[in-house]
Amino acid sequence: MTADISNDHYILLLVTHDTALDGAIQGMLADSKPVSGWVHPVRSIDACIEALSTRPFDLVLLDLSLPDMPGPEGLKTLRASSHHPPVIVFDETHNDT
């Protein structure tokens, strides 16, 4: 299954524990024209897998710094589930050095 936003509308699953980052990403996506869509935020890998079992998503944005399953384990768990669209991973870890 590949993401198809050629119809100018997407359904994105955003997996991050940081509500400020959640809002920033949703704001950037809302400002992206001409493509528009719907962002469904969840806070854990378990919630991500549950959401994927209830509806189709075009894309998953996955934070690798989730407290419940940090690092690549979250991605491995997601890929092991039966329903998964393409995934873009990012690491929201702060480094103030």
Side-chain angles (χ1 to χ4, degrees), residues 31-88:
D31 291 341
S32 65
K33 303 290 182 217
V35 177
S36 65
W38 179 71
V39 178
H40 179 73
V42 295
R43 304 285 176 242
S44 69
I45 290 295
D46 288 339
C48 172
I49 292 170
E50 181 179 333
L52 288 169
S53 71
T54 63
R55 69 172 303 134
F57 288 87
D58 296 308
L59 182 69
V60 175
L61 286 179
L62 175 63
D63 183 352
L64 290 182
S65 63
L66 292 170
D68 68 326
M69 200 170 295
E73 284 304 310
L75 180 59
K76 289 178 187 175
T77 301
L78 174 59
R79 288 290 182 199
S81 71
S82 59
H83 309 285
H84 59 81
V87 178
I88 296 175

